[in-house]
Amino acid sequence: AIASRSLSPEDPYLLANPGVRLLRDYDALLRDPEVEAVYIALPHKLHREWALKALRRHLPVLCEKPAVLAVEEMEEIARVSAREHTYFLEALKTKFSPGMDQLRQDMALLGPLRTIETCFSYDASEERDSFLFDPAQGGALNDLGSYVAGFPLALMSGQAIQNISSELLCQDDGIDLHFHAELTFEGGVTALLDGGIDRDKDRCAVIRGELGAITIPNFHRLTGYEITLEGSPSITRQFPVTGDDMTGEIQALIDDVAAGRIESTRHTHADTLQL
């Protein structure tokens, strides 16, 4: 079932899948006894409200990133998830990509790590009426920060951050169009984060070490990368995706709920809080 106030009954997906019901009321979807879990793809500022309503009805939740816009909101969701013993997962699909585990192993080939660079930008100048430009929830950091920060945090899991520096390019109304940040982890690895909704750039991550580099195109939906080591032929890894790039996180929800968990071990509530 889909709850949407704007989706046309003539939408090609609905026409091709006549068994899918279209509802106009979100509460009606949550009350439906046939609904076993919900995916929340609403604009950012509505995530908290509807995630909490679903959890209180004991419906497992897969919630689009960013899960919330403030740490306090995620703390509340984690408390309700625990109290209701009901699953909640932020849909950071990168961490459920089939190549992530191999990438962590391959990082050892680079020797001592130096930097992890992530860049995700696109030109949203023609989308001025979208939530991207709503002062209550918009901006480049809210929309793209989960990808560019979530990737190095996943690779450096367990390493404390010693320093953060950042800068924003903002409009007069406070909407940030572009951001750049540097995270320094204990041990000296620096994550260089870059994102914007005012320019088109290649979406790419590069991990650099003393012995070489790993380049990951479209790192947010990791399906392959190239390893370049000094004095050696380059190595290319490919990870064909079964389904699409959201299949992994959906399967994680199914498996975790079947196992009685209230959070993912791959992307925990604490991970969302840190992000």
Side-chain angles (χ1 to χ4, degrees):
I2 298 173
S4 171
R5 296 169 184 168
S6 59
L7 189 66
S8 167
E10 303 304 312
D11 184 90
Y13 175 80
L14 292 176
L15 294 178
N17 296 274
V20 176
R21 286 178 290 123
L22 175 61
L23 305 174
R24 295 304 188 190
D25 182 84
Y26 302 153
D27 279 307
L29 183 114
L30 298 186
R31 292 193 303 267
D32 190 321
E34 290 189 275
V35 171
E36 297 175 275
V38 294
Y39 166 57
I40 297 175
L42 296 165
H44 307 327
K45 67 181 179 182
L46 299 176
H47 291 177
R48 171 192 169 275
E49 174 187 356
W50 291 99
L52 289 172
K53 286 183 177 181
L55 290 170
R56 286 169 178 147
R57 294 192 67 87
H58 301 112
L59 288 170
V61 173
L62 177 64
C63 182
E64 256 311 321
K65 56 83 197 160
V68 290
L69 296 174
V71 168
E72 295 78 15
E73 294 179 354
M74 185 56 209
E75 289 174 337
E76 181 182 17
I77 286 174
R79 286 195 303 271
V80 173
S81 171
R83 186 181 71 226
E84 304 294 340
H85 197 77
T86 301
Y87 189 86
F88 179 89
L89 173 62
E90 179 182 33
L92 189 62
K93 60 188 176 186
T94 312
K95 294 178 78 169
F96 298 89
S97 299
M100 279 297 288
D101 291 338
Q102 183 63 51
L103 176 60
R104 290 188 181 96
Q105 294 179 35
D106 284 338
M107 286 167 59
L109 301 174
L110 304 180
L113 292 182
R114 293 175 176 168
T115 60
I116 302 173
E117 303 171 30
T118 54
C119 178
F120 192 141
S121 290
Y122 65 98
D123 186 356
S125 57
E126 302 300 319
E127 303 177 40
R128 292 286 169 169
D129 58 346
S130 84
F131 69 92
L132 289 172
F133 294 93
D134 175 0
Q137 62 182 331
L141 185 60
N142 282 340
D143 195 48
L144 302 175
S146 299
Y147 287 140
V148 297
F151 189 72
L153 288 176
L155 297 179
M156 299 299 292
S157 179
Q159 297 291 314
I161 297 173
Q162 293 185 326
N163 187 62
I164 300 175
S165 63
S166 60
E167 53 189 39
L168 292 173
L169 170 65
C170 295
Q171 296 183 148
D172 292 340
D173 61 2
I175 291 293
D176 55 292
L177 300 177
H178 184 262
F179 64 87
H180 181 81
E182 296 187 10
L183 313 182
T184 303
F185 294 87
E186 63 181 6
V189 177
T190 299
L192 306 171
L193 318 180
D194 190 82
I197 56 174
D198 63 340
R199 64 196 74 184
D200 285 318
K201 293 176 67 175
D202 287 340
R203 300 171 187 179
C204 184
V206 182
I207 306 168
R208 302 185 192 278
E210 192 173 290
L211 302 179
I214 301 176
T215 302
I216 309 104
N218 294 313
F219 65 95
H220 61 299
R221 49 180 62 172
L222 194 163
T223 58
Y225 52 82
E226 184 176 20
I227 307 168
T228 306
L229 302 174
E230 294 181 8
S232 302
S234 63
I235 302 169
T236 300
R237 306 270 198 230
Q238 297 292 338
F239 304 95
V241 175
T242 301
D244 61 31
D245 56 357
M246 299 176 75
T247 300
E249 62 195 16
I250 296 169
Q251 190 62 53
L253 178 146
I254 293 169
D255 294 342
D256 288 339
V257 170
R261 303 185 187 101
I262 65 169
E263 61 183 315
S264 167
T265 56
R266 194 170 278 265
H267 188 55
T268 65
H269 296 171
D271 290 340
T272 294
L273 276 165
Q274 183 189 36
L275 187 50

